[in-house]
Amino acid sequence: MAGLDQALAGVVTWIGTNLLIDTIGVTVPASGPPVLDPATGHLIYPDDLVVYEGPGAVIPAGAAVERSMVPDTTLPWAAQTKSAYMLLTPLDAPVPPEGAVVTVTAVHDPARRALLGRSWTCADPGQASTVEVVRRTPLDQNRLPEAA
């Protein structure tokens, strides 16, 4: 496949230059109990593990999504589903694990600020293929807190 990989190198470069232009953060939520700080009397919670911070893109998943969306269990009706998105990252970025939280930390265009403040959960690990030009990871958008 060396010939094919060489042929696709230009596509990988184009995608990196033209699509992966925002800054993405991927973290795994901290696990483990908090620890008491005897000096202050406050609980110290473990930090989230930063898996990746770098170039990427978050895009709405189109009709060609290969997975079904899971109903949101926090609502009293089953017809409500989470919004499906796709995370695009460079091939040399680590594979985001299932359950990791994705945020857009900086956008290339001020008109794209609607991405800031939102978060998504990785619905599955990053997809893999024998021929790749960009890593794709399915996402479910987390609900924004309701205004009081």
Side-chain angles (χ1 to χ4, degrees):
M1 295 280 253
L4 183 57
D5 289 340
Q6 289 174 341
L8 293 176
V11 176
V12 171
T13 301
W14 187 90
I15 288 173
T17 303
N18 295 290
L19 293 180
L20 307 180
I21 53 179
D22 293 327
T23 304
I24 305 297
V26 180
T27 58
V28 174
S31 61
V35 177
L36 179 65
D37 180 353
T40 64
H42 293 105
L43 291 175
I44 306 297
Y45 291 87
D47 292 330
D48 294 342
L49 173 65
V50 176
V51 176
Y52 175 73
E53 184 156 357
V58 173
I59 58 173
V65 174
E66 295 91 10
R67 66 182 182 88
S68 59
M69 292 178 284
V70 178
D72 188 337
T73 59
T74 62
L75 296 175
W77 57 88
Q80 182 67 37
T81 59
K82 293 188 175 193
S83 299
Y85 284 78
M86 191 66 64
L87 169 65
L88 304 178
T89 53
L91 295 175
D92 59 355
V95 176
E98 182 177 358
V101 176
V102 174
T103 56
V104 176
T105 58
V107 292
H108 72 284
D109 179 355
R112 307 287 190 248
R113 286 189 310 262
L115 292 169
L116 301 173
R118 295 185 189 192
S119 69
W120 297 265
T121 300
C122 294
D124 284 313
Q127 298 173 344
S129 173
T130 56
V131 179
E132 293 180 300
V133 293
V134 68
R135 177 164 293 113
R136 299 175 346 131
T137 304
L139 302 175
D140 283 331
Q141 182 173 302
N142 297 323
R143 300 220 182 274
L144 294 172
E146 301 224 3

